[in-house]
Amino acid sequence: SRTHFRPAQIGVLHKIYENVSYSIDHDGVISLHEFQLALFGKRAQEDGESGGDLFSERIFECFDTTNDGTLSFEEFVNGLSIFHPQASKEEKTAFAFKVYDLQGTNAIERDDVRKMLESVLKQNKDMTLSDEALEMAVDQTFEDCDLTKDGAISLYEFKVLVEKNEKVIANMTLPMLARLTKEFPEF
């Protein structure tokens, strides 16, 4: 399938893929733990939490289109392509929606928003919210986004949110992917 990478960049991605896929299991495919180690480095190991970051777990699950618990090279490249600066707002919005739809119901539900907020708070130890403040944030999210007031945010409602505030998908772009060259093998 078509990606936003040039052929030379796919070659660089293959080297990165090989490094990541052999970092722990030496099996030529990327596991969730290897994926998180590549994203967070030593911090993932120091935290001592296996799969502590919900956001990276969800990105991994969305990249893993065969649902076999590993990433093939094709899944890795296709997934990263979403984060390329040349990927369209529509591609990024659809992918972000899939990431936030934790239960795979084609809707973002209150529990999905709550779990994502809790995960963000867990990652940012400087930020704390009381349970009441967390519920208020969930309530506000649904007040702003659930246009039909059916208790869930549809893809359409999520697209309306992104149109109002593109910061919602700002984390879906990695500018360094456009500059990926032989001299830039850092990942």
Side-chain angles (χ1 to χ4, degrees), residues 80-89 92 166 169-178:
L80 279 180
S81 184
I82 301 286
F83 291 83
H84 194 286
Q86 290 178 350
S88 69
K89 183 167 48 170
K92 292 175 186 297
E166 286 195 30
I169 60 166
N171 60 352
M172 294 289 144
T173 299
L174 297 173
M176 57 84 84
L177 290 177

Side-chain angles (χ1 to χ4, degrees), residues 5 13-14 16-17 20 30 35 63 71-81 187:
F5 297 108
L13 286 174
H14 197 269
I16 293 168
Y17 178 84
V20 175
I30 296 177
F35 186 72
F63 278 20
L71 299 183
S72 67
F73 179 62
E74 185 179 354
E75 288 171 321
F76 179 71
V77 172
N78 288 336
L80 279 180
S81 184
F187 188 71

Side-chain angles (χ1 to χ4, degrees), residues 107-122:
I108 300 171
E109 297 172 33
R110 291 182 65 85
D111 199 43
D112 297 337
V113 173
R114 187 179 303 106
K115 283 180 178 157
M116 275 298 194
L117 284 171
E118 287 170 349
S119 178
V120 167
L121 291 169
K122 196 166 114 184

Side-chain angles (χ1 to χ4, degrees), residues 127-143:
M127 288 175 53
T128 53
L129 280 182
S130 66
D131 289 346
E132 299 83 48
L134 186 69
E135 279 311 308
M136 284 173 62
V138 172
D139 289 344
Q140 190 61 55
T141 300
F142 276 80
E143 182 65 35

